[in-house]
Amino acid sequence: MDTASAPSVETVLNRIRSGVRNEHPYLVGAPPQADVKLNQNESPYDLPAELKAELVDTLHDTAFNRYPAEQPAALAEALAKHNHVAPEQVLVGNGSNELTYLFGLAFIEPGTPVVLPAPMFSLYEKVARLYHADLTTIEPRADLHFDIDALVEAVTQHNAAMTVITTPNNPTGLAVPPADLERVLKATPGVVVIDEAYVEFNDYPPATELLDAYPNLIILRTLSKAFGLAGLRLGYLMAHEDMVTELMKARLPFMVDRFSEAVGRAVLNHPNLLTQRVEQMQESCASLTQALQERDDLTVVPSRANFVLFTPHTTSSDALQDALMEQGILIRNMGGYPSLQGYLRVCAGTPGENKAFLDALDAVL
Ligand code: PMP
């Protein structure tokens, strides 16, 4: 085989868009196995065995050789009912992360003004970079809440095509009151994505109440947190039905497989399970927050989600994280965010997991 005239690997790689080449892959950066896994804001609870047994029957009845529908209509309908919106207002994705990329595809051309408050779930900034947005970042207030005054000013000044508010926010756990969401919705000429991944843990009213009044609102949700389905990959958005129709044009078909759809429907059919799990996780987060607040050496951010952000005063956060990891306890280092240097994030686990974390923390502190 004469390959002398073939381009070198480097020549071929240089054909990859600079937006991609300049990126880093998204890595959680931790071993997959750990005794106490509190680093990804997951539910500590898998589905009950009886429900899983029902789903095994579903698995038997699922035709693996047949494509699913372009959109999982029955699941979209169940989600619409769950949220008191019309099925036409719902678009289901392969996890909500996947829909974040749809926003890039739909709204961002090179130079499109995008405004993002910080600190925010890092994927949004990545999508803005991948699509060469003209990105403006709004630094948080001293108490780490989003600076809504500055955000309102920036979306107007930059004529923002898109802004995003994560509420409760990851990684701070802080939430934005509905009146402030409305201020941003009114000021933004483009779309406002309100990412409510942790909405079930928060007692503010959900943003769905604003859908009728604001056609520029897109709400993003996930079944990875309160519903405990992070391993299955189900997320969805809710928006004006005409917006959903447009987004469908850019959409990859078949992104939700038949089995995931069946599991999503089954879980939505057991509302008491969701209520019970959310109560357990809220209790866990409250007691974890209180326990951390009792430690003099820590500053703790009060959370409205299922995780807690904190910073140690006298121990380095890197050393603390490493020491916990050696004992099989995974938490997340937030030092990569300019406003969160020295901060760590721990997810609320089972009572036993929280105890193991706190015991190990005390041993290090
Ligand atoms: N949005 C926020 C704010 C998150 O914290 C996460 C998970 N870390 C996601 C979206 C992604 O969720 P999914 O599992 O649905 O992709």
Side-chain angles (χ1 to χ4, degrees), residues 124-166:
Y124 289 105
E125 198 177 320
K126 178 168 181 161
V127 167
R129 286 194 307 261
L130 278 170
Y131 285 91
H132 301 279
D134 178 5
L135 177 64
T136 302
T137 304
I138 307 299
E139 289 307 317
R141 300 181 340 199
D143 60 4
L144 296 178
H145 279 270
F146 288 145
D147 187 339
I148 298 295
D149 291 339
L151 181 62
V152 163
E153 200 181 307
V155 290
T156 313
Q157 188 194 334
H158 295 277
N159 189 25
M162 180 171 107
T163 187
V164 182
I165 294 182
T166 44

Side-chain angles (χ1 to χ4, degrees), residues 18 24 44 56 81 124 132 134 146-147 152 159 162 179 203 212 251 260 263 277 293 307 316 338 356:
S18 61
H24 299 284
V56 170
K81 205 166 151 210
Y124 289 105
H132 301 279
D134 178 5
F146 288 145
D147 187 339
V152 163
N159 189 25
M162 180 171 107
D203 54 15
D212 284 346
R251 184 100 193 86
S260 294
V263 179
R277 294 300 200 223
Q293 281 167 338
F307 54 84
S316 101

Side-chain angles (χ1 to χ4, degrees), residues 3 28 45 73 117 119 131 136 142 175 179-181 201 228 239 257 260 264 288 295 297 356:
T3 58
V28 175
Y45 303 109
Y131 285 91
T136 302
D180 280 342
L181 296 180
F201 307 113
D257 64 85
S260 294
L288 181 64
R295 269 94 183 147
D297 193 34

Side-chain angles (χ1 to χ4, degrees), residues 34 39 73 117 150 156 179 181 206 295 303 313 332 360 365:
N39 64 335
T156 313
L181 296 180
R295 269 94 183 147
S303 170
H313 302 157
R332 198 71 167 264
L365 294 179

